[in-house]
């Protein structure tokens, strides 16, 4: 062990004795009455010492006020370096930071929030393949080269200048391209749901509004025979639909065909409750009794 290493680990005597200077600096930075007892003095290097004080601030249990002091070579004047609040070995700290993509849960998005999807999202797959590029601002859009950018600007200029001269029968999209065919077939989407995306969506919907829910177990009939069911399009049509009954707990939700509730369109009409029989003894009515002899009675 070299002499320089030994000196750096041994606190400088003048800096180690500057406890009052360090305390006054900590009390100036902190609120009144939150600087506790002196814990220790740690050597940070040649003529550099950090004094640690207990922190009595509520919510900062185990934290310490760290005040670093130093002095120049061949000088007896100790000066203040910095004052910070640092966690100790038993301090209460915030949990480890988690990226927003891992913290996001269903229902967290609000108005104006954007949720970009990754290019390798397993829930999606290409909607159509070919040489045509996907729409702008798409996650699967390749980097635009300078030549492609120049061609795009030139095409936009030609389109703007010819907008007033063209008739209504001239299409804006060049016919014969893969993009134009996809647009005519209703497939002008860069990506669509993959089989994995369909499966996880179906599992999620079946868990919320499926045959195993308590509401479906007590329903008079399943949704497949309900007139308020709006079938879905595509492959999910065979198992799911949208409820259109405003009195149903699943109104506007995607429900399984095996789901059901008490608002089924063909539910039996509840019979009218029978009217109770009249009381044998009428305790609510009043009988009229004469207070005197009838009129015209000579007696």
């Amino acid at each position: 062990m070299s002499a320089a290493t030994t000196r750096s680990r041994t606190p400088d005597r003048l800096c180690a004795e500057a406890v009052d200077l360090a305390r006054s600096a900590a009390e100036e930075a902190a609120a009144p009455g939150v600087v506790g007892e002196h814990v220790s003095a740690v050597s940070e290097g040649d003529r550099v010492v950090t004094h640690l004080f207990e922190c009595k601030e509520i919510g900062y249990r185990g934290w310490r006020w760290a005040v670093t002091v130093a002095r120049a070579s061949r000088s007896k004047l100790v000066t203040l370096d910095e004052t910070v609040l640092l966690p100790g070995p038993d301090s209460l700290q915030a949990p480890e930071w988690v990226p927003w993509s891992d913290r996001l849960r269903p229902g967290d998005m609000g108005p104006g929030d954007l949720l970009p999807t990754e290019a390798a999202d397993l829930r999606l797959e290409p909607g159509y393949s070919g040489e045509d590029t996907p729409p702008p601002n798409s996650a699967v859009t390749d980097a635009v080269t300078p030549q492609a950018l120049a061609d795009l600007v030139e095409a936009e200029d030609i389109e703007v200048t010819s907008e007033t001269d063209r008739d209504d029968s001239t299409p804006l999209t060049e016919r014969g391209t893969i993009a134009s065919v996809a647009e005519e077939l209703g497939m002008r989407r860069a990506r669509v749901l993959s089989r994995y995306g369909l499966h996880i969506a179906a599992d999620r919907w079946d868990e919320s509004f499926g045959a195993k829910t308590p509401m479906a177990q007590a329903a008079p009939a399943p949704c497949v025979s309900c007139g308020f069911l709006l079938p879905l399009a595509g492959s999910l049509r065979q198992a799911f639909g949208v409820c259109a009954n405003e009195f149903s707990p699943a109104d506007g939700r995607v429900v399984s065909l095996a789901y059901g509730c008490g608002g089924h369109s063909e539910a039996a009409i509840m019979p009218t409750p029978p009217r109770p029989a009249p009381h044998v003894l009428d305790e609510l009515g009043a009988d009229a009794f004469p207070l005197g002899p009838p009129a015209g009675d000579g007696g």
Side-chain angles (χ1 to χ4, degrees):
M1 183 179 296
S2 62
T5 305
T6 304
R7 289 196 302 270
S8 62
R9 293 186 177 181
T10 302
D12 181 76
R13 182 180 62 85
L14 295 179
C15 293
E17 293 177 354
V19 178
D20 295 338
L21 174 64
R23 178 180 292 276
S24 61
E27 291 177 348
E28 182 179 355
V34 300
V35 180
E37 298 295 331
H38 183 265
V39 177
S40 62
V42 181
S43 176
E44 304 290 353
D46 293 340
R47 299 177 298 278
V48 180
V49 176
T50 298
H51 293 272
L52 301 176
F53 299 90
E54 294 180 355
C55 180
K56 297 182 178 180
E57 183 75 22
I58 299 177
Y60 288 86
R61 184 187 63 191
W63 288 62
R64 299 171 178 177
W65 286 101
V67 181
T68 303
V69 294
R71 69 180 181 91
S73 177
R74 299 180 182 180
S75 174
K76 296 183 179 180
L77 178 63
V78 179
T79 58
L80 178 65
D81 192 354
E82 64 176 354
T83 303
V84 293
L85 182 62
L86 299 177
D90 301 330
S91 61
L92 181 64
Q93 302 185 51
E96 185 179 356
W97 182 81
V98 180
W100 70 269
S101 57
D102 297 337
R103 299 195 309 265
L104 192 64
R105 292 295 179 266
D108 291 347
M109 292 188 61
D113 295 340
L114 297 178
L115 179 60
T117 56
E118 299 180 359
D121 197 326
L122 297 178
R123 301 170 300 173
L124 301 172
E125 63 183 10
Y128 58 88
S129 60
E131 298 179 356
D132 295 343
T133 58
N137 299 329
S138 175
V140 295
T141 304
D142 297 331
V144 180
T145 61
Q147 181 62 34
L149 183 60
D151 296 342
L152 179 62
V153 172
E154 183 180 358
E156 290 180 352
D157 292 341
I158 295 175
E159 180 181 351
V160 171
T161 54
S162 60
E163 178 69 19
T164 56
D165 299 335
R166 72 176 187 89
D167 54 1
D168 296 338
S169 60
T170 304
L172 292 177
T173 305
E174 183 180 356
R175 299 188 60 85
T177 62
I178 297 178
S180 63
V181 175
E183 184 176 2
E184 292 179 3
L185 297 178
M187 300 171 55
R188 189 66 188 271
R189 290 185 294 171
R191 292 186 292 176
V192 296
L193 272 178
S194 62
R195 179 174 293 272
Y196 173 73
L198 290 174
H199 278 295
I200 61 175
D203 293 341
R204 187 172 62 251
W205 297 338
D206 188 73
E207 182 179 357
S208 301
F209 298 97
K212 297 182 180 180
T213 57
M215 181 66 72
Q217 295 291 333
C223 291
V224 66
S225 59
C226 182
F228 294 107
L229 181 72
L230 299 176
L232 294 180
S235 59
L236 291 179
R237 180 189 182 95
Q238 303 175 6
F240 295 96
V242 178
C243 179
N245 188 351
E246 60 178 327
F247 300 105
S248 172
D251 179 37
R253 304 291 187 90
V254 178
V255 297
S256 171
L257 298 184
Y259 181 74
C261 67
H264 195 280
S265 62
E266 309 305 324
I269 301 176
M270 294 298 294
T272 305
R275 298 182 59 183
H279 295 282
V280 177
L281 179 61
D282 187 4
E283 297 180 350
L284 301 178
D287 297 331
F289 292 96
L291 300 180
D297 189 357

